[in-house]
Amino acid sequence: MRFKFLLLSLLAIQGCKSPDIQEAEIYSTSEQAQWQRSPVQVQRQTDVDADIIVSDTEEQVIDGFGGCFNELGWDALSLLSEGQRDTVLNALFGPDGVHFTFCRLPVGANDYARDWYSYNETPGDFEMKNFSIERDKGGVIPYIKAALAINPNLKLWASPWSPPVWMKATKHYATAPGEHNDFREGNEVAGDHLIQEPEYLTAYALYLSKFIDAYKQNGIDVSLLYFQNEPYTKHQWPNCSWLPKSMANFIGKYLGPAFSEKHPNVDLWFGTFNCNKMADLACVMEDTDAAQYIRGIGLQWEGKDIVADVHQKYPDMKLMQTENECGGGTFDWGAAEHTFDLLNTYLNGGVNSYMYWNMVLQDDGASSWGWRQNAMIRIDSQTKQVIYTPEFYVMKHLSHFVKKGAHRLNVSKGNNVLAFKNPDGQVVILCANKDTEERNIRIACKGHVANVKLAPKTFNTITL
């Protein structure tokens, strides 16, 4: 079955060339034809019975959108000629493309590294004399620098998946056995995986501090750090579980003081929180030692269940969706619709920023640990063909148009809708028709109405 995809609805309303009618363009993408334009009219009209009503109420500010720099992504890009690679990178970071402005990098290996590594595997080196990011110079760093060459204002944040194995109770990068590691049954550890003795906690704070220094020495500024990716995960790829009280203790008594002294310009955020237990979150956020250092909260996976509750309970705290759910290597229309649903959930829930996961992968999107996942761009390793997946266009029609500093606008009527007001006053409305039949809808905003025809199974974008 062929799905038709007309992408996202963006309504830009600034000023009128005539008092009553303005001409707009609708940007449309289907699986057969991407990024097409056609005209649509916007009329000055009030008191209408519209299907979608966007109010003037401004909600959270938008800090940006991005993805993650992973080794396997750079390996996929390295299959291409220099010209092809530049085209792909401009499609992700250039002003005419997705124009990502706020991206993630791992601290050491993650599940899309080529294999396991950390920056110091010398047992007992608590002073981190053997710390080195040399491995990253062959993958992650050139990937980031290629992006920075296109967008020098790209903001970067980081998180580790696992500390060095000698610092862990499991003495292994993983926390569970699987077909793609040598972790043995019976070696699982309940509770904290990082050894919670002061010398280890002090050394790990130093490890993370030296990471910031080393990247800066290589011309890359990291402005935001999470102490752990998914502290509730137990899998065969690199990860590390923490108990809530231990998270609070590490941030409040070790990481926070170290960064306050050595890296006062690097913000510490709590997460990435892959749990839907508000009590666990409160254990950290309401710990007086930890709370003084925390500048934001990152949520992913199970975090989507509580994002609105977190925003309501901590209204002055910045929120981030830290990892788009990665799918199963289908690269299909269903994945695009799921990503749109996630965008709706997190952005309407109050996040200030949203992160896609793998921007680029090759072939079936398999990780080194056997999980096939989706990406925005897929590269065929045999033919070197570059395929822009439906999720690429979902993100493009969001990140290309919604600028840093925009505010989300409240939608008082309508489903599958997101609305924003850019710093220059432009209003952006994104709506989806997930039905299998065409819909004629009226969109009302700021005294204007657009009559729009939405093709089946589409997202829609209108620009004035």
Side-chain angles (χ1 to χ4, degrees), residues 29 59 153 266 274 276 428:
T29 301
E59 306 291 351
N153 295 318
V266 177
N274 62 320
N276 57 13
V428 178

Side-chain angles (χ1 to χ4, degrees), residues 35 44-45 71 82 92 94 120 125 144 201 216 221 227 240 250 383-384 394 397 399 407 419 435 456:
W35 208 251
R44 186 183 299 277
Q45 191 174 350
E71 278 190 333
E82 184 176 353
L92 289 168
N120 187 357
D125 185 8
I144 295 170
L201 296 171
K216 189 173 185 64
D221 290 323
F227 81 100
C240 183
F250 179 62
T383 66
K384 309 303 187 286
V394 172
H397 278 265
S399 188
H407 284 265
D435 296 340

Side-chain angles (χ1 to χ4, degrees), residues 96-148:
D96 294 329
V98 180
H99 202 203
F100 277 157
T101 58
F102 194 7
C103 285
R104 179 184 196 180
L105 65 146
V107 179
N110 63 10
D111 45 318
Y112 269 79
R114 298 171 190 133
D115 50 37
W116 160 251
Y117 72 100
S118 79
Y119 301 131
N120 187 357
E121 285 301 325
T122 304
D125 185 8
F126 295 106
E127 296 180 1
M128 293 295 151
K129 293 179 179 179
N130 294 290
F131 182 96
S132 172
I133 63 164
E134 193 65 27
R135 163 71 174 258
D136 287 359
K137 296 177 182 179
V140 176
I141 286 177
Y143 195 176
I144 295 170
K145 287 190 171 181
L148 287 171

Side-chain angles (χ1 to χ4, degrees), residues 44-61:
R44 186 183 299 277
Q45 191 174 350
T46 58
D47 300 324
V48 297
D49 183 21
D51 302 286
I52 293 171
I53 300 175
V54 178
S55 76
D56 292 332
T57 304
E58 295 186 3
E59 306 291 351
Q60 79 272 19
V61 69

